[in-house]
Amino acid sequence: MFSVCTRDCYDTCSMVSELRDGRLRVRGNPEHPITAGFLCPKGALLPKWFHSRDRLRKPLIRTGERGSGDFHETSWEEAVNLVAEKLREIIEKHGSESVLVYQYAGDRGVVNYAFPLRLFHYLNTAILDYGICDRAGQEALKDVYGTAVGLDPEELKNQKLIVYWGINAFWTNLHGFMLARRYGLEIWTVDVVRTETVKRSDKFFQVKPDTDVLFALGVAKIIIEEGLYEEAFVRENVHGFEEFRNYVKTLSLDYVSNETGLSVETIEIFAREFAEKRGVIHIGYGFQRSLAGGEAVRAIAILPALVGHRFGFIYDMKTIDKSYAEGTFLRAKPAKRIPQMKLAEYIENGEIKFLYVYNSNPLASLPNQNKLRKALEESDVFVVTHDLFLTDTALYSDVVLPANTFFERLDIVDSYYHRYVALNEPVAKLYGKRNSEVTRLLARALGIENPYLYESEEEVIRKVLELNGLSWGELKAKGFVKVPERPRKWETPSGKIEFFSQRAVERGLSPFPKYLKFRGMYPLRLLTPTYRMTITSQYHNTYRLIDPRLYINPADAKNRGIGNGDTVEVFNDYGRIKTRAKLSENVPRGVVLLYKAFWVKLLGWNANFLTTDETIENYGDGSAYHSTWVEVKKLNGE
């Protein structure tokens, strides 16, 4: 059977799966050009996740305090009727906009992700305005190109150089990294930390936090002033080039060097070789989750255009229109959108009375966890979670509904990295119900008869494919199809690539990317990237392969009397956690690192007890996790 890994991951691997002797077996689809017959370490362990004894089997109703784990098992009928009753009651008393459906990309199957939204659109409830992941970078790329959709990675075969800027691709985009290797590209990495990708790169440019924008502007200055840019391309296709030339003319390379930590010679080498090899850039998501992130992406995005690329970046990929699956046409009025990063505030203010969570674990993944948990504990919000496991979010819920895995349902999945849509066929059935199945149960319990709420998975899939000009027959036969790329244009006010961004000006920003300095109340900058064996909080409970240590530079540790393996307290105004120190030269001075979003119920804490809930207001209220500062002290006697 054809399967797809539906995790929130660039690679969206196509798999061949079977049930043999009662056990699931999976392997990478050898025919898929990106998957190329192999799986990442997380994917190879999927049978362990599928067969986990921790999977929920029956619905639960809370009997104790939130977070206590006190529940009693119940029937599906009783659980669904209770949810429907509370939903009806709260809408009648507080209005439909007091109901929020909170979902994200824990499962990216088109039907599994979107179909439940049909019910909430029909009910005219509030929905999320997503900001947790790549929002600032999306806004920034739209300022320059009018879109965040970049290069088809299979076009890398025609390139010489790829720059991984702020992405640990060997961990988070392994198939993309190996694709670049297969195509023989030279690989550079720009990062704050010496990552596993850095160790496998041809060149490493280590910048200080928040100085990416300055580094990119310095590179642009050299390319322009040394006449290394593609003059004809720029003249025909760039808006505001002369103004930008004058802008970077005033920039001192000595200043760029001092701020970034890179020598002038190193900046010149980057600029000259990048121009000569007409490099493309894979812009990561991590570093744009900072207060300087939007400005940084705008600056970086200019570089591929200078060397003659129409869309010479990799960031996002939107190949198909999935709106039919979501059913926004069922709404009777415009949706109230609640910023994802402001969930705690809306609960505190009493604006949310009913919270329905699926495909997400916000009590592990959202920042400022102490604030969020306090808001839930002190409010009367009714919380329903549909999940495979008793997650941290489920522990705070009034009703918990068992979900099933993608190995137990029919779906299709697109990718935000490559241009393939893949088929996911059911292989077996163990426990739980599909998101779409629960949606139908709730619709019936509410007495809703609208036929769009009762379409089958196959009906929805066939319609989505038809609307996108794709063949169900071909998909069934091959397990995947490539979405053809249509002729593209720059959807900016000028119809060109905008170095002088009119869209940014309309939002009150400078027409050109600006270097902004940020300083916290504490001396150490905390970075919280994803770990190799987890995807945000997923797999911690099943694989039990985590690294909860605090990575700290030996010089910073010495100044605090901290030795390798010592127990330390990491703290700021948001919270404090206790862990072991790992001294490492991979982390520069002034920076510490904790891997993100492990399960609090298993570890006792996670990094998001420390992370800021500030947002990048002018860049879509995107998250700013990495604009967090902390202090660290040794705990004696532990």
Side-chain angles (χ1 to χ4, degrees):
M1 307 292 279
F2 293 118
S3 299
V4 193
C5 182
T6 63
R7 298 284 77 91
D8 190 7
C9 171
Y10 290 102
D11 298 17
T12 315
C13 289
S14 174
M15 299 181 290
V16 179
S17 306
E18 63 176 327
L19 203 66
R20 191 189 311 163
D21 300 324
R23 301 294 297 181
L24 179 69
R25 317 273 186 187
V26 298
R27 59 188 174 92
N29 188 340
E31 303 301 320
H32 193 283
I34 307 297
T35 305
F38 76 96
L39 299 175
C40 75
K42 295 183 289 290
L45 288 173
L46 279 168
K48 184 175 183 179
W49 169 77
F50 174 74
H51 290 288
S52 172
R53 288 179 293 181
D54 291 336
R55 286 183 59 180
L56 295 171
R57 289 159 171 75
K58 293 184 178 181
L60 303 173
I61 296 176
R62 180 168 63 87
T63 57
E65 298 296 318
R66 291 197 195 277
S68 67
D70 294 331
F71 295 91
H72 77 256
E73 291 185 348
T74 188
S75 66
W76 272 97
E77 182 180 11
E78 182 182 1
V80 168
N81 285 339
L82 174 59
V83 173
E85 177 187 332
K86 294 296 293 187
L87 192 51
R88 189 184 293 111
E89 172 190 315
I90 286 169
I91 289 175
E92 288 175 359
K93 186 175 180 180
H94 300 285
S96 61
E97 291 182 343
S98 68
V99 175
L100 174 66
V101 53
Y102 186 108
Q103 44 76 241
Y104 202 59
D107 186 298
R108 294 188 58 259
V110 169
V111 178
N112 205 57
Y113 176 92
F115 192 88
L117 294 172
R118 287 187 170 192
L119 174 62
F120 294 94
H121 284 313
Y122 178 87
L123 295 171
N124 296 300
T125 73
I127 61 173
L128 273 188
D129 187 11
Y130 308 115
I132 196 170
C133 184
D134 59 348
R135 183 64 176 274
Q138 282 192 352
E139 298 299 322
L141 287 164
K142 289 175 185 176
D143 288 340
V144 181
Y145 292 93
T147 179
V149 175
L151 187 73
D152 177 351
E154 288 186 282
E155 289 302 311
L156 290 175
K157 64 179 177 288
N158 299 316
Q159 307 302 323
K160 297 178 181 178
L161 167 67
I162 185 168
V163 181
Y164 287 113
W165 200 309
I167 173 175
N168 187 6
F170 187 72
W171 276 13
T172 61
N173 179 216
L174 177 60
H175 292 82
F177 184 87
M178 298 309 295
L179 185 71
R181 277 273 181 87
R182 288 203 303 275
Y183 288 154
L185 273 71
E186 187 172 345
I187 296 173
W188 297 357
T189 297
V190 180
D191 214 314
V192 172
V193 176
R194 186 178 292 274
T195 64
E196 292 302 310
T197 303
V198 168
K199 296 171 187 176
R200 293 162 176 81
S201 299
D202 298 294
K203 282 188 172 69
F204 174 39
F205 301 85
Q206 188 169 27
V207 295
K208 296 177 183 177
D210 292 343
T211 65
D212 305 82
V213 60
L214 206 53
F215 180 33
L217 291 174
V219 169
K221 173 186 175 73
I222 294 165
I223 290 174
I224 292 170
E225 293 183 355
E226 294 189 4
L228 304 175
Y229 64 97
E230 292 289 328
E231 186 175 352
F233 177 87
V234 167
R235 183 173 58 251
E236 293 174 16
N237 300 301
V238 171
H239 170 79
F241 174 72
E242 289 302 326
E243 294 92 333
F244 181 73
R245 182 208 294 266
N246 292 332
Y247 177 65
V248 295
K249 188 176 183 179
T250 63
L251 188 63
S252 162
L253 289 180
D254 288 331
Y255 177 71
V256 174
S257 173
N258 184 63
E259 292 294 296
T260 62
L262 298 169
S263 69
V264 171
E265 180 184 10
T266 299
I267 299 167
E268 290 173 339
I269 288 171
F270 186 107
R272 291 165 185 160
E273 292 193 22
F274 182 84
E276 177 192 350
K277 296 165 185 174
R278 299 188 68 239
V280 296
I281 303 176
H282 188 151
I283 304 171
Y285 294 162
F287 76 98
Q288 56 88 54
R289 297 177 195 140
S290 68
L291 295 174
E295 296 295 310
V297 173
R298 275 177 67 196
I300 295 162
I302 286 170
L303 300 182
L306 277 175
V307 299
H309 291 295
R310 290 178 54 81
F311 297 96
F313 63 90
I314 294 173
Y315 189 78
D316 206 350
M317 183 61 69
K318 288 183 171 63
T319 53
I320 59 172
D321 180 354
K322 298 173 280 189
S323 59
Y324 179 78
E326 180 177 337
T328 53
F329 50 81
L330 293 169
R331 297 196 74 90
K333 62 180 180 179
K336 175 182 179 179
R337 293 185 174 271
I338 292 179
Q340 189 171 16
M341 311 311 293
K342 305 289 187 182
L343 178 64
E345 290 180 26
Y346 279 79
I347 293 172
E348 285 176 340
N349 296 339
E351 293 186 54
I352 300 172
K353 296 295 184 181
F354 186 106
L355 183 65
Y356 187 91
V357 181
Y358 74 96
N359 283 3
S360 190
N361 186 12
L363 268 77
S365 59
L366 282 178
N368 197 355
Q369 280 291 316
N370 280 320
K371 180 179 180 179
L372 177 57
R373 288 160 186 260
K374 186 171 184 286
L376 285 169
E377 289 163 2
E378 295 180 353
S379 77
D380 60 352
V381 61
F382 191 84
V383 183
V384 180
T385 295
H386 185 203
D387 208 299
L388 279 80
F389 302 103
L390 194 62
T391 63
D392 289 299
T393 303
L395 282 176
Y396 272 68
S397 300
D398 296 279
V399 178
V400 183
L401 304 173
N404 65 6
T405 70
F406 57 81
F407 291 110
E408 299 163 271
R409 58 177 176 261
L410 179 68
D411 215 329
I412 57 172
V413 191
D414 65 341
S415 170
Y416 54 84
Y417 172 67
H418 55 70
R419 298 196 63 83
Y420 291 92
V421 172
L423 175 65
N424 186 78
E425 298 175 301
V427 183
K429 181 169 176 57
L430 290 184
Y431 322 111
K433 295 186 185 296
R434 308 181 302 280
N435 287 349
S436 56
E437 189 176 3
V438 173
T439 303
R440 296 182 194 103
L441 289 174
L442 285 171
R444 286 193 186 97
L446 289 165
I448 301 171
E449 297 180 356
N450 190 292
Y452 286 109
L453 298 178
Y454 299 97
E455 281 189 308
S456 69
E457 281 78 8
E458 184 172 332
E459 287 175 313
V460 175
I461 289 167
R462 282 174 171 270
K463 186 67 173 179
V464 169
L465 292 173
E466 178 190 337
L467 290 170
N468 286 277
L470 300 175
S471 166
W472 170 245
E474 182 183 355
L475 186 61
K476 286 278 287 182
K478 291 179 56 181
F480 61 89
V481 293
K482 186 166 187 178
V483 183
E485 186 169 7
R486 297 181 177 89
R488 301 178 63 189
K489 60 182 181 180
W490 301 293
E491 297 174 12
T492 57
S494 65
K496 297 183 176 184
I497 300 169
E498 295 204 353
F499 288 9
F500 182 109
S501 175
Q502 299 174 76
R503 184 175 181 270
V505 171
E506 289 173 1
R507 299 203 310 283
L509 296 170
S510 164
F512 307 114
K514 288 183 68 174
Y515 173 48
L516 305 172
K517 286 189 177 184
F518 297 96
R519 294 290 182 268
M521 297 293 291
Y522 293 86
L524 298 171
R525 183 71 171 266
L526 174 65
L527 303 182
T528 53
T530 193
Y531 185 55
R532 184 183 192 183
M533 294 306 298
T534 57
I535 298 181
T536 308
S537 69
Q538 288 179 317
Y539 303 136
H540 176 182
N541 65 313
T542 50
Y543 298 170
R544 304 288 173 131
L545 297 171
I546 66 168
D547 183 356
R549 296 172 295 178
L550 176 82
Y551 283 75
I552 184 170
N553 186 275
D556 288 328
K558 183 178 180 181
N559 290 341
R560 292 162 174 79
I562 296 169
N564 197 46
D566 283 349
T567 301
V568 295
E569 185 177 58
V570 189
F571 62 93
N572 59 17
D573 291 346
Y574 295 110
R576 54 188 62 232
I577 63 98
K578 184 171 71 173
T579 189
R580 299 279 181 183
K582 169 64 177 175
L583 275 57
S584 175
E585 294 283 359
N586 292 335
V587 178
R589 294 189 66 171
V591 172
V592 290
L593 181 149
L594 285 169
Y595 291 112
K596 69 175 180 180
F598 298 138
W599 282 37
V600 179
K601 67 177 279 189
L602 298 179
L603 186 61
W605 58 272
N606 77 21
N608 285 324
F609 280 81
L610 301 167
T611 49
T612 180
D613 55 0
E614 285 185 272
T615 61
I616 316 165
E617 293 182 5
N618 285 322
Y619 285 91
D621 271 325
S623 63
Y625 288 90
H626 299 304
S627 290
T628 296
W629 282 263
V630 298
E631 181 55 286
V632 181
K633 68 177 181 182
K634 180 179 177 180
L635 294 177
N636 294 318
E638 294 193 44

